[in-house]
Amino acid sequence: MGRVTDLAAFTALLAPEGQTLLAALRDYDPTQELAVASRLRREHPAELVSAALGQARLRQRAVAKFGAEDAYRMYFTPNGVEQSTRATVGAYRAERFRELGVRSVADLCGGIGGDALAFARAGIAVLAVDRDPLTAEVARANAEALGLTELIEVRCADVTEIDTSPYDAVFVDPARRGGRGRIFDPEAYSPPLSWAVEAARKAPHAALKIAPGIPHEAVPAEAEAEWISDGGDVKEAVLWFGTSPGARRATLLPSGASLTGRGLPDPDVRPVGRFLYEPDGAVIRAHLVAEVAEELSGGLIDETIAYVTADALTPTPFATAYEITDELPFNLKKLKALLREREVGTLTVKKRGSAVEPEEIRRRVKPKGPNAATVFLTRVAGAPTMLIGRPAAAHHG
């Protein structure tokens, strides 16, 4: 019952009165919601005001993923904002499909249409399928709002009943949140990963969006697994079919730098050199730290820790470099004394392989002064250690 009323409320938003309300709410401040709502209810039906306020809130939240220009023209459901692909990632994936020669794609579990819009903008025709009537309606409205209806057909159906044979590619983004939050078991996705893999195998090309925490052993042998980060945050993993079976790849947006595994053995452990490199999260998830260490002529500080150390500064898109000034056994009193002596007021705390919380450190050492430093709480050859340094300038003399 609830969904039917939701659908009616959403349809009302698309009519002229709803559009006027949405335009008026573009820059509203959610902390003033009660006052705004009571003012608007004097001139508009209460249900329409509620629907418009809900949509205005979702649009504000969606700006982070879709950018203001699109977000304020698009429509969302609460789940849709949560689960949809960030526009930068969607555009990258659509471009990869385009380079593979894909001209049409069956987008199964299309949600509110985030990926379908990216495919259409890359010139690919899309069938977007979602079994929820409201979600399908929202996807249709989005295709229209962005002028992409020529390339996007939205169908409200169960994805398991779709014949994908007419399409060059299949894209599946299974729902990864159940009623109780995130789902970590790929067989509990909706539809299950095994079903998605079967659908992928039938198509010339396919991409399945999965959670970045997927264990490597759960990746089918014929798939290429790609971990994607955007601005340093790992956003998702994708299983590609019809590309390079067994390959592991890390791709960093916005630069688009991509690293492919060469099956290297683990790097050697060596003493901490002048520079410490923190690999991007996508590189770590893709198990490509060895490839980065080789590129940097570096080694690990500890066999269980993803920090690479080297004597020289080598520019790389795949890791952030720090120049290390001090290496001390873990001891908060010593850290406090050293930071006071150096007049460090701006302290960045990073940790790998340490149980100590960064907030705790800040509270205990009370940094004061004009200088900045980064402290790494980690293990060096098994021993709890503090490394102190600063971001390395790109070019040292």
Side-chain angles (χ1 to χ4, degrees):
M1 175 63 208
R3 301 304 270 168
V4 180
T5 19
D6 287 356
L7 191 53
F10 177 69
T11 314
L13 280 181
L14 301 176
E17 187 177 6
Q19 292 294 301
T20 308
L21 265 176
L22 278 177
L25 287 168
R26 175 175 169 136
D27 298 313
Y28 102 107
D29 174 357
T31 59
Q32 304 297 309
E33 180 154 337
L34 282 173
V36 173
S38 50
R39 194 183 78 240
L40 292 172
R41 284 196 183 114
R42 289 183 211 129
E43 286 135 48
H44 305 280
E47 300 82 78
L48 187 61
V49 170
S50 299
L53 282 165
Q55 199 52 244
R57 271 198 312 272
L58 292 172
R59 282 177 165 183
Q60 289 182 355
R61 270 176 49 206
V63 169
K65 275 189 178 179
F66 289 93
E69 195 186 329
D70 282 353
Y72 284 111
R73 293 189 289 165
M74 288 171 68
Y75 300 92
F76 300 95
T77 61
N79 259 355
V81 174
E82 214 49 56
Q83 297 194 9
S84 56
T85 301
R86 181 174 270 268
T88 43
V89 179
Y92 162 74
R93 192 169 30 231
E95 189 49 37
R96 251 202 102 174
F97 262 149
R98 203 181 64 79
E99 286 168 4
L100 290 167
V102 168
R103 309 298 304 134
S104 63
V105 61
D107 175 1
L108 309 177
C109 321
I112 58 154
D115 283 285
L117 299 169
F119 292 137
R121 281 181 165 161
I124 298 170
V126 193
L127 168 68
V129 183
D130 203 282
R131 67 174 177 203
D132 177 63
L134 174 63
T135 307
E137 213 39 64
V138 170
R140 211 168 268 131
N142 284 335
E144 191 146 322
L146 300 186
L148 295 165
T149 47
E150 304 269 293
L151 284 165
I152 298 175
E153 177 198 340
V154 178
R155 200 179 294 171
C156 184
D158 188 314
V159 296
T160 58
E161 291 158 15
I162 298 294
D163 172 17
T164 59
S165 59
Y167 299 89
D168 296 342
V170 165
F171 173 65
V172 192
D173 177 4
R176 295 198 300 275
R177 283 166 192 269
R180 294 196 300 278
R182 288 192 180 188
I183 295 174
F184 294 104
D185 171 13
E187 282 311 294
Y189 289 179
S190 171
L193 184 59
S194 53
W195 180 86
V197 168
E198 280 313 308
R201 285 179 174 140
K202 291 184 196 125
H205 292 289
L208 312 181
K209 176 174 156 178
I210 51 171
I214 189 169
H216 281 230
E217 51 278 16
V219 173
E222 76 271 41
E224 168 197 343
E226 177 178 37
W227 280 262
I228 301 173
S229 67
D230 190 11
D233 293 327
V234 182
K235 289 299 171 196
E236 63 185 58
V238 187
L239 300 182
W240 292 92
F241 292 77
T243 55
S244 324
R248 296 286 177 272
R249 176 201 283 245
T251 298
L252 283 51
L253 301 177
S255 72
S258 211
L259 183 65
T260 304
R262 299 193 299 287
L264 299 178
D266 287 343
D268 292 334
V269 173
R270 48 151 290 177
V272 176
R274 186 172 162 198
F275 296 98
L276 186 76
Y277 292 85
E278 180 181 29
D280 183 272
V283 168
I284 296 172
R285 288 290 178 97
H287 298 180
L288 300 179
V289 172
E291 279 71 4
V292 171
E294 186 183 71
E295 188 183 306
L296 300 170
S297 313
L300 297 179
I301 60 169
D302 181 282
E303 60 183 19
T304 62
I305 307 274
Y307 282 138
V308 174
T309 185
D311 298 315
L313 184 62
T314 310
T316 172
F318 302 112
T320 308
Y322 294 85
E323 186 165 6
I324 299 302
T325 52
D326 302 85
E327 176 182 353
L328 305 163
F330 181 79
N331 178 321
L332 283 183
K333 271 202 179 100
K334 285 205 171 113
L335 180 64
K336 190 172 180 170
L338 184 96
L339 296 174
R340 183 175 299 153
E341 184 188 313
R342 308 241 172 114
E343 299 186 313
V344 170
T346 308
L347 184 66
T348 304
V349 183
K350 290 177 164 283
K351 61 170 219 166
R352 269 191 196 287
S354 166
V356 187
E357 285 308 321
E359 293 66 49
E360 169 79 352
I361 297 285
R362 249 188 227 97
R363 214 182 65 236
R364 301 273 294 275
V365 304
K366 303 186 181 64
K368 274 195 284 295
N371 301 320
T374 303
V375 59
F376 295 87
L377 307 175
T378 187
R379 287 195 302 274
V380 171
T385 303
M386 308 182 297
L387 300 176
I388 296 153
R390 54 178 166 271
H395 302 287
H396 275 274

